[in-house]
Amino acid sequence: GADIAYNTVKAKTAYVADDTQAYGKGLSDVFVADFEKLGGKVLGRDSIPDSTKDYTSFVTKIKGLKPDYVFYGGVTTSGLGLFRKQMAQQGLQTIPMGGGDGIVDGPVSTASSFLQIAGDGAANSYGTTAGPHDVAADSSPSQADFAAAYKAKFNADPGAYSAAAYACTQAFLQALKDVGASAGGDLGKLREAIRAYLADSTHTYQSALGTF
């Protein structure tokens, strides 16, 4: 998120908020640390209860601070879409805003998504996801083959976490193949054998994310 603000948007100053929850506060704490490390300056920081419906006082504060960027740690259900909508209603939609994967929750057509709630105010908004998009060169299957097979199976492009989920399955199946017989049909023993196998860092996996 800080990289987007500083290197993509070219913001040098930011206003930061969070929804008081562990996830949102954690996101904002990391954003502040990394944004300042990159050379940015945080002009203001607020914790806003996730029950808030009227953000006028905070939007007014942003007007006075005139930041290059607004970062809000939290999720759409904490009010981020409404916050952005009220920013736009006061003419601040030109200030870029960023958040975590809690606002990457579907297109305008998805009920109660950030894009639907924020409406036209969603312009200039950025969200991050933890899912990798550029996977390792030694991925197996290759990124292209995985995408083609996924599209053929589900008639949709892979999502941010599709390759990661497939890699988890590949690791599980490798463990099952190597230690499954040792459990002798006992599901409790099988679960423990697989857990122990996956926790053993000496094992190597060829996966959709590459070798790990």
Side-chain angles (χ1 to χ4, degrees):
D3 178 67
I4 290 172
Y6 194 83
N7 293 314
T8 300
V9 179
K10 307 300 182 185
K12 296 298 185 286
T13 61
Y15 166 80
V16 180
D18 65 71
D19 63 359
T20 74
Q21 302 301 310
Y23 167 79
K25 186 177 183 302
L27 277 180
S28 292
D29 287 346
V30 173
F31 175 88
V32 169
D34 286 355
F35 187 64
E36 290 179 340
K37 190 182 301 180
L38 289 168
K41 182 179 180 181
V42 175
L43 302 179
R45 170 78 188 263
D46 287 306
S47 290
I48 306 173
D50 56 7
S51 58
T52 303
K53 301 299 181 187
D54 184 356
Y55 295 89
T56 302
S57 62
F58 301 102
V59 175
T60 300
K61 183 175 182 178
I62 294 171
K63 275 187 174 181
L65 291 173
K66 296 182 173 62
D68 299 327
Y69 197 80
V70 170
F71 184 86
Y72 199 145
V75 296
T76 300
T77 52
S78 295
L80 274 70
L82 185 59
F83 176 86
R84 185 60 178 176
K85 181 178 181 178
Q86 291 182 12
M87 278 184 65
Q89 288 171 342
Q90 295 199 41
L92 300 184
Q93 70 270 27
T94 56
I95 299 177
M97 175 178 156
D101 58 2
I103 65 170
V104 186
D105 55 2
V108 174
S109 58
T110 298
S112 300
S113 68
F114 173 82
L115 293 178
Q116 186 185 82
I117 295 171
D120 292 342
N124 297 318
S125 295
Y126 297 82
T128 60
T129 68
H133 291 275
D134 297 317
V135 300
D138 62 351
S139 61
S140 180
S142 70
Q143 187 170 14
D145 288 345
F146 177 78
Y150 191 98
K151 181 80 171 182
K153 178 70 174 178
F154 300 109
N155 194 32
D157 293 323
Y161 301 102
S162 300
Y166 192 83
C168 287
T169 305
Q170 289 174 293
F172 176 86
L173 291 175
Q174 180 176 316
L176 183 63
K177 178 181 178 182
D178 287 358
V179 302
S182 68
D186 185 316
L187 291 182
K189 288 182 179 178
L190 177 62
R191 180 186 183 280
E192 174 54 27
I194 289 174
R195 185 210 61 76
Y197 184 98
L198 293 171
D200 185 344
S201 61
T202 65
H203 295 134
T204 300
Y205 308 87
Q206 293 293 126
S207 82
L209 298 181
T211 302
F212 69 93

Short mmCIF file of all heavy atoms in Angstrom, two decimals, residues 178-212:
data_model
loop_
_atom_site.label_atom_id
_atom_site.label_comp_id
_atom_site.label_asym_id
_atom_site.label_seq_id
_atom_site.Cartn_x
_atom_site.Cartn_y
_atom_site.Cartn_z
N ASP A 178 3.23 -39.64 -0.06
CA ASP A 178 4.44 -40.12 0.62
C ASP A 178 4.17 -40.80 1.96
O ASP A 178 4.91 -41.69 2.37
CB ASP A 178 5.42 -38.96 0.82
CG ASP A 178 6.10 -38.55 -0.49
OD1 ASP A 178 5.83 -39.18 -1.52
OD2 ASP A 178 6.89 -37.58 -0.47
N VAL A 179 3.14 -40.35 2.69
CA VAL A 179 2.92 -40.90 4.04
C VAL A 179 1.54 -41.52 4.22
O VAL A 179 1.25 -42.06 5.29
CB VAL A 179 3.14 -39.82 5.13
CG1 VAL A 179 4.54 -39.25 5.04
CG2 VAL A 179 2.09 -38.71 5.01
N GLY A 180 0.70 -41.45 3.20
CA GLY A 180 -0.67 -41.95 3.34
C GLY A 180 -0.76 -43.40 3.75
O GLY A 180 -1.53 -43.76 4.65
N ALA A 181 0.04 -44.25 3.13
CA ALA A 181 -0.02 -45.68 3.41
C ALA A 181 0.36 -46.01 4.85
O ALA A 181 -0.12 -46.98 5.44
CB ALA A 181 0.88 -46.43 2.44
N SER A 182 1.24 -45.16 5.42
CA SER A 182 1.73 -45.44 6.78
C SER A 182 0.64 -45.33 7.84
O SER A 182 0.79 -45.85 8.94
CB SER A 182 2.88 -44.47 7.13
OG SER A 182 2.39 -43.14 7.24
N ALA A 183 -0.45 -44.65 7.50
CA ALA A 183 -1.53 -44.47 8.48
C ALA A 183 -2.43 -45.70 8.59
O ALA A 183 -3.21 -45.82 9.54
CB ALA A 183 -2.37 -43.25 8.12
N GLY A 184 -2.34 -46.60 7.62
CA GLY A 184 -3.11 -47.84 7.68
C GLY A 184 -4.61 -47.65 7.71
O GLY A 184 -5.33 -48.45 8.31
N GLY A 185 -5.09 -46.60 7.13
CA GLY A 185 -6.53 -46.37 7.08
C GLY A 185 -7.09 -45.64 8.28
O GLY A 185 -8.28 -45.35 8.33
N ASP A 186 -6.25 -45.31 9.25
CA ASP A 186 -6.68 -44.57 10.44
C ASP A 186 -6.65 -43.07 10.12
O ASP A 186 -5.57 -42.50 9.92
CB ASP A 186 -5.76 -44.88 11.61
CG ASP A 186 -6.20 -44.24 12.92
OD1 ASP A 186 -6.58 -43.05 12.90
OD2 ASP A 186 -6.15 -44.92 13.96
N LEU A 187 -7.81 -42.42 10.07
CA LEU A 187 -7.87 -41.02 9.65
C LEU A 187 -7.15 -40.10 10.63
O LEU A 187 -6.57 -39.09 10.23
CB LEU A 187 -9.33 -40.58 9.49
CG LEU A 187 -10.09 -41.21 8.31
CD1 LEU A 187 -11.50 -40.66 8.24
CD2 LEU A 187 -9.36 -40.97 7.00
N GLY A 188 -7.18 -40.41 11.91
CA GLY A 188 -6.46 -39.61 12.89
C GLY A 188 -4.96 -39.67 12.66
O GLY A 188 -4.27 -38.65 12.69
N LYS A 189 -4.46 -40.88 12.42
CA LYS A 189 -3.02 -41.05 12.13
C LYS A 189 -2.66 -40.38 10.80
O LYS A 189 -1.57 -39.82 10.66
CB LYS A 189 -2.66 -42.53 12.10
CG LYS A 189 -2.67 -43.21 13.45
CD LYS A 189 -2.26 -44.67 13.33
CE LYS A 189 -2.23 -45.36 14.70
NZ LYS A 189 -1.86 -46.80 14.58
N LEU A 190 -3.58 -40.47 9.85
CA LEU A 190 -3.32 -39.87 8.54
C LEU A 190 -3.18 -38.35 8.66
O LEU A 190 -2.27 -37.76 8.09
CB LEU A 190 -4.46 -40.21 7.57
CG LEU A 190 -4.36 -39.59 6.17
CD1 LEU A 190 -3.11 -40.09 5.46
CD2 LEU A 190 -5.61 -39.90 5.36
N ARG A 191 -4.09 -37.75 9.41
CA ARG A 191 -4.03 -36.29 9.60
C ARG A 191 -2.71 -35.89 10.24
O ARG A 191 -2.06 -34.93 9.82
CB ARG A 191 -5.21 -35.82 10.46
CG ARG A 191 -5.21 -34.32 10.71
CD ARG A 191 -6.31 -33.92 11.69
NE ARG A 191 -6.35 -32.49 11.86
CZ ARG A 191 -5.52 -31.79 12.64
NH1 ARG A 191 -4.56 -32.41 13.31
NH2 ARG A 191 -5.63 -30.49 12.74
N GLU A 192 -2.31 -36.60 11.28
CA GLU A 192 -1.07 -36.26 11.98
C GLU A 192 0.15 -36.49 11.08
O GLU A 192 1.09 -35.70 11.08
CB GLU A 192 -0.94 -37.07 13.26
CG GLU A 192 0.38 -36.91 14.00
CD GLU A 192 0.75 -35.47 14.30
OE1 GLU A 192 -0.17 -34.63 14.43
OE2 GLU A 192 1.96 -35.17 14.42
N ALA A 193 0.12 -37.56 10.29
CA ALA A 193 1.24 -37.85 9.40
C ALA A 193 1.40 -36.74 8.35
O ALA A 193 2.52 -36.32 8.04
CB ALA A 193 1.03 -39.21 8.72
N ILE A 194 0.28 -36.29 7.82
CA ILE A 194 0.33 -35.22 6.81
C ILE A 194 0.77 -33.91 7.44
O ILE A 194 1.59 -33.18 6.89
CB ILE A 194 -1.05 -35.07 6.13
CG1 ILE A 194 -1.31 -36.28 5.22
CG2 ILE A 194 -1.12 -33.77 5.31
CD1 ILE A 194 -2.68 -36.30 4.60
N ARG A 195 0.25 -33.64 8.64
CA ARG A 195 0.67 -32.41 9.34
C ARG A 195 2.17 -32.41 9.59
O ARG A 195 2.85 -31.42 9.34
CB ARG A 195 -0.07 -32.28 10.68
CG ARG A 195 0.21 -30.96 11.42
CD ARG A 195 0.12 -31.12 12.92
NE ARG A 195 1.08 -32.07 13.44
CZ ARG A 195 2.39 -31.80 13.58
NH1 ARG A 195 2.89 -30.64 13.22
NH2 ARG A 195 3.20 -32.73 14.06
N ALA A 196 2.70 -33.53 10.07
CA ALA A 196 4.12 -33.63 10.36
C ALA A 196 4.96 -33.49 9.09
O ALA A 196 6.02 -32.85 9.08
CB ALA A 196 4.42 -34.96 11.06
N TYR A 197 4.47 -34.09 8.00
CA TYR A 197 5.19 -34.01 6.73
C TYR A 197 5.27 -32.56 6.24
O TYR A 197 6.33 -32.08 5.86
CB TYR A 197 4.46 -34.88 5.70
CG TYR A 197 5.16 -34.97 4.36
CD1 TYR A 197 5.96 -36.07 4.05
CD2 TYR A 197 4.99 -33.98 3.39
CE1 TYR A 197 6.59 -36.18 2.81
CE2 TYR A 197 5.61 -34.08 2.15
CZ TYR A 197 6.41 -35.17 1.87
OH TYR A 197 7.04 -35.27 0.64
N LEU A 198 4.14 -31.87 6.28
CA LEU A 198 4.10 -30.49 5.79
C LEU A 198 4.88 -29.54 6.70
O LEU A 198 5.35 -28.49 6.25
CB LEU A 198 2.66 -30.02 5.65
CG LEU A 198 1.83 -30.74 4.57
CD1 LEU A 198 0.36 -30.35 4.66
CD2 LEU A 198 2.38 -30.44 3.19
N ALA A 199 5.01 -29.89 7.98
CA ALA A 199 5.76 -29.04 8.91
C ALA A 199 7.27 -29.27 8.83
O ALA A 199 8.04 -28.51 9.42
CB ALA A 199 5.27 -29.29 10.34
N ASP A 200 7.66 -30.30 8.11
CA ASP A 200 9.08 -30.64 7.98
C ASP A 200 9.70 -29.80 6.85
O ASP A 200 9.41 -30.02 5.68
CB ASP A 200 9.22 -32.13 7.67
CG ASP A 200 10.66 -32.60 7.63
OD1 ASP A 200 11.57 -31.75 7.53
OD2 ASP A 200 10.88 -33.83 7.67
N SER A 201 10.56 -28.87 7.21
CA SER A 201 11.12 -27.93 6.22
C SER A 201 12.15 -28.55 5.28
O SER A 201 12.67 -27.87 4.40
CB SER A 201 11.74 -26.73 6.94
OG SER A 201 12.79 -27.16 7.79
N THR A 202 12.45 -29.85 5.44
CA THR A 202 13.40 -30.49 4.52
C THR A 202 12.73 -30.92 3.22
O THR A 202 13.42 -31.27 2.25
CB THR A 202 14.05 -31.72 5.18
OG1 THR A 202 13.05 -32.72 5.41
CG2 THR A 202 14.74 -31.35 6.48
N HIS A 203 11.40 -30.88 3.18
CA HIS A 203 10.69 -31.31 1.97
C HIS A 203 10.61 -30.18 0.94
O HIS A 203 10.50 -29.00 1.30
CB HIS A 203 9.29 -31.80 2.32
CG HIS A 203 9.29 -33.03 3.16
ND1 HIS A 203 8.50 -33.18 4.28
CD2 HIS A 203 10.01 -34.18 3.06
CE1 HIS A 203 8.72 -34.36 4.82
NE2 HIS A 203 9.63 -34.98 4.10
N THR A 204 10.65 -30.54 -0.31
CA THR A 204 10.59 -29.58 -1.41
C THR A 204 9.37 -29.88 -2.27
O THR A 204 9.03 -31.05 -2.49
CB THR A 204 11.86 -29.67 -2.29
OG1 THR A 204 13.01 -29.37 -1.48
CG2 THR A 204 11.80 -28.67 -3.45
N TYR A 205 8.73 -28.83 -2.75
CA TYR A 205 7.50 -28.99 -3.55
C TYR A 205 7.64 -28.24 -4.87
O TYR A 205 8.13 -27.11 -4.91
CB TYR A 205 6.29 -28.43 -2.79
CG TYR A 205 6.14 -28.97 -1.38
CD1 TYR A 205 6.80 -28.36 -0.31
CD2 TYR A 205 5.36 -30.08 -1.13
CE1 TYR A 205 6.67 -28.85 0.98
CE2 TYR A 205 5.23 -30.58 0.16
CZ TYR A 205 5.90 -29.96 1.21
OH TYR A 205 5.77 -30.45 2.48
N GLN A 206 7.18 -28.88 -5.93
CA GLN A 206 7.04 -28.20 -7.22
C GLN A 206 5.60 -27.76 -7.32
O GLN A 206 4.69 -28.59 -7.29
CB GLN A 206 7.38 -29.15 -8.37
CG GLN A 206 8.82 -29.59 -8.44
CD GLN A 206 9.76 -28.45 -8.78
OE1 GLN A 206 10.71 -28.19 -8.07
NE2 GLN A 206 9.48 -27.74 -9.86
N SER A 207 5.38 -26.45 -7.39
CA SER A 207 4.00 -25.97 -7.29
C SER A 207 3.68 -24.91 -8.33
O SER A 207 4.56 -24.44 -9.06
CB SER A 207 3.77 -25.39 -5.89
OG SER A 207 4.24 -24.07 -5.82
N ALA A 208 2.43 -24.52 -8.33
CA ALA A 208 1.96 -23.46 -9.22
C ALA A 208 2.56 -22.11 -8.89
O ALA A 208 2.44 -21.16 -9.65
CB ALA A 208 0.44 -23.39 -9.21
N LEU A 209 3.20 -21.99 -7.71
CA LEU A 209 3.88 -20.75 -7.33
C LEU A 209 5.38 -20.85 -7.53
O LEU A 209 6.11 -19.88 -7.31
CB LEU A 209 3.60 -20.41 -5.86
CG LEU A 209 2.15 -20.15 -5.47
CD1 LEU A 209 2.05 -19.81 -3.99
CD2 LEU A 209 1.55 -19.04 -6.32
N GLY A 210 5.84 -22.02 -7.94
CA GLY A 210 7.28 -22.25 -8.08
C GLY A 210 7.74 -23.28 -7.08
O GLY A 210 6.94 -23.91 -6.38
N THR A 211 9.05 -23.47 -6.99
CA THR A 211 9.62 -24.45 -6.07
C THR A 211 9.77 -23.84 -4.68
O THR A 211 10.28 -22.74 -4.53
CB THR A 211 11.01 -24.92 -6.56
OG1 THR A 211 10.88 -25.47 -7.88
CG2 THR A 211 11.59 -25.97 -5.63
N PHE A 212 9.28 -24.55 -3.67
CA PHE A 212 9.47 -24.07 -2.31
C PHE A 212 9.69 -25.24 -1.37
O PHE A 212 9.35 -26.37 -1.69
CB PHE A 212 8.31 -23.19 -1.85
CG PHE A 212 7.01 -23.92 -1.64
CD1 PHE A 212 6.67 -24.42 -0.39
CD2 PHE A 212 6.12 -24.12 -2.69
CE1 PHE A 212 5.47 -25.08 -0.20
CE2 PHE A 212 4.93 -24.78 -2.51
CZ PHE A 212 4.60 -25.27 -1.26
#
